[in-house]
Amino acid sequence: PSSPRASEFFKNIGSTQDLSAKMARSCASDLENGEIVALDGTRLDSFSENISLAAVGKRKDGTFGPQVNLSILLNVRTGAIVSYRAYGGNVNDISTLNDLRHLWSDIGISEKEPVILMDRGYPSQKEFIDLDRDGFKFLIGARASMSVIKKIIDERNSDFYDQKYYLRNQRCYGVKDKCTVKNEGRSTIVRSYVFRSPGKEMTQTDELLNALDAFSKGWSKKYDDPSYAKSPLLKFFKNPVKGQPLEIDQDVLSYECYGLGYFGLVGNVDIPLLGALDRYRQRNEVEIAFKLMFQNLM
């Protein structure tokens, strides 16, 4: 048969026999209790008119194009894929989590009480509560701007410069705290693990200052360029005027630099700071899996 007919044939078989769900249940049954699994997603450019999920989405380089969003859940101990799901290219990662959570419950993953590792593209306080309610343990990367992380940075800032909180051989400081997150009348208790890396802070500060310099130099020639008119870097300048030199707002810049060098984790697991770091680093296994898959595929 032709390629489209063959694809249609296998798609119909899969739909009729519910093969995807059966495979996922089988993989879930192989999980050990308390297993560590990692979730990640990737986007693939797709220009085929025969792929209905292909939709215009934003690439990592800021450009747009037709894509498919693929999410996989990986057993970090064995490297085996536990479940996968494909979404339209216009669906962001955080929007997939509600669907994935229901899939994991349906195939029995929650019964094994795994710890799910996710990167900072997924979290929201609502999802923290939903994951906890459905019996999932999680450890999720969080931006320094997230309220539960920012609160610790602001209220315990001096601790991030105190040798008592220095994590030896990790080249960073760490602070652990507990708080209650709330959403729509529901709540749950989470632990926040916040780290400050002086080396990362200096690197990020250099990158920001260099970006501002390059933006300023191009302003007189490119202020009509849409990428300049909508650039997030504009907030660092005082009253930018077309044709006039840019002046940096030092207060805004200083406040931005104050938050550089920090990274955080949020979870409903209670473990030491070093344990949280080591466990989260295991999420790298799912990124390796993607690279191996697509290196051979392409």
Side-chain angles (χ1 to χ4, degrees), residues 210-238:
N210 291 338
L212 293 176
D213 284 346
F215 189 88
S216 296
K217 291 177 181 177
W219 173 253
S220 60
K221 298 179 180 179
K222 298 184 179 180
Y223 50 77
D224 287 330
D225 187 323
S227 65
Y228 264 64
K230 297 180 180 179
S231 172
L233 294 177
L234 276 176
K235 72 176 183 180
F236 295 104
F237 299 97
K238 293 181 179 179

Side-chain angles (χ1 to χ4, degrees), residues 134-288:
D134 289 354
F136 294 104
K137 298 295 183 182
F138 60 86
L139 189 63
I140 305 179
R143 300 179 187 277
S145 57
M146 176 173 274
S147 59
V148 294
I149 303 298
K150 186 68 165 57
K151 185 174 184 288
I152 296 174
I153 295 174
D154 289 340
E155 294 182 356
R156 302 185 58 180
N157 192 258
S158 61
D159 291 346
F160 292 101
Y161 297 83
D162 189 331
Q163 60 83 22
K164 290 187 297 183
Y165 296 93
Y166 180 70
L167 302 179
R168 188 182 300 181
N169 299 321
Q170 304 301 315
R171 304 186 66 81
C172 67
Y173 298 82
V175 171
K176 174 184 172 183
D177 212 338
K178 181 173 71 172
C179 68
T180 301
V181 294
K182 300 178 180 180
N183 181 267
E184 297 178 350
R186 297 183 297 137
S187 65
T188 192
I189 295 175
V190 297
R191 264 79 180 179
S192 299
Y193 306 84
V194 186
F195 307 89
R196 172 183 170 265
S197 166
K200 187 175 182 181
E201 175 188 351
M202 289 184 281
T203 299
Q204 291 179 339
T205 301
D206 284 339
E207 290 173 349
L208 176 58
L209 294 177
N210 291 338
L212 293 176
D213 284 346
F215 189 88
S216 296
K217 291 177 181 177
W219 173 253
S220 60
K221 298 179 180 179
K222 298 184 179 180
Y223 50 77
D224 287 330
D225 187 323
S227 65
Y228 264 64
K230 297 180 180 179
S231 172
L233 294 177
L234 276 176
K235 72 176 183 180
F236 295 104
F237 299 97
K238 293 181 179 179
N239 303 318
V241 178
K242 180 178 177 179
Q244 298 295 322
L246 293 174
E247 180 185 358
I248 289 181
D249 188 324
Q250 294 296 339
D251 290 337
V252 175
L253 179 58
S254 295
Y255 185 77
E256 182 75 13
C257 291
Y258 160 80
L260 298 180
Y262 290 93
F263 57 102
L265 305 172
V266 178
N268 57 353
V269 291
D270 186 4
I271 53 180
L273 281 161
L274 284 176
L277 266 182
D278 290 340
R279 186 166 293 183
Y280 188 70
R281 284 170 178 154
Q282 292 179 283
R283 200 191 63 80
N284 189 52
E285 293 297 325
V286 71
E287 297 183 359
I288 292 174

Side-chain angles (χ1 to χ4, degrees), residues 27-28 45 56 65 69 97 104 110 167 198 205 223 228 230:
C27 292
D45 283 343
V56 174
N69 185 355
L97 197 50
W104 299 336
S110 58
L167 302 179
T205 301
Y223 50 77
Y228 264 64
K230 297 180 180 179

